[in-house]
Amino acid sequence: MSVSPPAVRIVVADDHLVVRTGFAALLDTQPDFTVVATACDGAEAVRVCRELSPDVVLMDVRMPGMDGIEATRRLAVSAEAGPRVLILTTFDLDEYVYDALRAGASGFLLKDVTAERLFDAVRVIAAGEALLAPAVTRRLIGEFTRLRARTVAAADAPVSTALAALTPRETQVLRLVAEGLSNPEIAGRLTVTEETVKTHVSRVLNKLGLRDRTQAVIAAYETGLVVPGSRGPGRSA
């Protein structure tokens, strides 16, 4: 008799009561999800996460007191096996989303997301992957990296130095990840197996000291490995 995997434990953090209760109720309709708590601000989100150890946090960015960016930063550094943070935002080019991704978030969604897209996103994040919507995430990261490159250069110097430790193939894989390609797409581009791509991605993350693919995309832009607005060979305009 097969045993079902444990349900994904979720915390929803948003300062608007209707929003957080609505998302919580929607998520609870899924048999593989359980919402263990809700939070009205970043400080409460950090507290309940430390108490309940959820797998995923849906985090609003703009909240009174401690905002979602600071809460994400604290959760990212508090424990190596901390919850994955999925940022909720109203605007797809909200500069605060970029800050949240740099703070350790694994991806973001617009608040007008469909139910099925929300469910898929939570499952992707819970599985340890980053949620990268290429058309939006790449544009957002590229734009704000270009605006902030000088101010973050010193902080990202260790990552820039670590790039030299990557093999040519790992560097190539990192570029393709930054373009928004999935593992199967990278495997097709390089004519290798998907398992080989996963191994390369894992090694890139380990060598650069990064948490997930979202952090890898940011590192690729901020170190100049990928130029904002550029496209790889054969990509459509």
Side-chain angles (χ1 to χ4, degrees):
M1 180 178 179
S2 61
V3 178
S4 299
V8 177
R9 293 162 50 80
I10 305 167
V11 167
V12 179
D14 196 291
D15 60 320
H16 292 96
L17 176 62
V18 172
V19 174
R20 67 175 180 269
T21 56
F23 273 115
L26 188 60
L27 291 164
D28 267 334
T29 64
Q30 299 302 289
D32 55 335
F33 294 163
T34 179
V35 176
V36 297
T38 61
C40 64
D41 58 31
E44 186 176 16
V46 171
R47 179 180 60 78
V48 298
C49 285
R50 288 174 176 170
E51 290 177 356
L52 302 175
S53 300
D55 302 302
V56 174
V57 183
L58 267 66
M59 184 83 75
D60 187 21
V61 176
R62 304 182 188 187
M63 295 184 286
M66 184 188 297
D67 62 19
I69 298 169
E70 180 59 27
T72 297
R73 184 176 295 112
R74 295 193 183 192
L75 291 173
V77 302
S78 63
E80 186 174 330
R84 298 279 175 167
V85 176
L86 183 57
I87 294 294
L88 295 171
T89 183
T90 305
F91 305 104
D92 65 354
L93 285 180
D94 187 338
E95 66 176 298
Y96 296 102
V97 175
Y98 172 81
D99 291 330
L101 291 174
R102 292 195 76 247
S106 293
F108 74 93
L109 285 177
L110 300 181
K111 287 187 178 180
D112 63 358
V113 64
T114 65
E116 288 306 314
R117 178 60 172 156
L118 174 64
F119 301 153
D120 289 344
V122 171
R123 292 182 180 109
V124 166
I125 295 295
E129 296 291 335
L131 186 71
L132 295 176
V136 177
T137 305
R138 187 168 62 248
R139 185 173 77 243
L140 180 148
I141 293 173
E143 177 65 18
F144 288 104
T145 296
R146 180 164 50 196
L147 295 176
R148 295 166 182 248
R150 293 182 181 179
T151 62
V152 300
D156 289 310
V159 174
S160 298
T161 302
L163 285 179
L166 300 181
T167 67
R169 178 65 92 183
E170 289 165 354
T171 301
Q172 188 177 23
V173 168
L174 176 56
R175 283 197 181 97
L176 295 175
V177 168
E179 288 182 23
L181 273 65
S182 65
N183 283 352
E185 289 171 333
I186 295 173
R189 179 76 65 86
L190 301 181
T191 319
V192 298
T193 67
E194 188 175 344
E195 193 61 37
T196 297
V197 174
K198 290 180 180 179
T199 298
H200 286 315
V201 171
S202 178
R203 287 175 178 168
V204 167
L205 297 181
N206 288 335
K207 288 184 178 181
L208 300 185
L210 303 173
R211 182 171 181 172
D212 57 28
R213 293 170 76 98
T214 299
Q215 301 297 297
V217 171
I218 293 172
Y221 278 107
E222 291 186 337
T223 58
L225 183 65
V226 175
V227 177
S230 67
R231 295 179 175 85
R235 294 185 67 80
S236 59

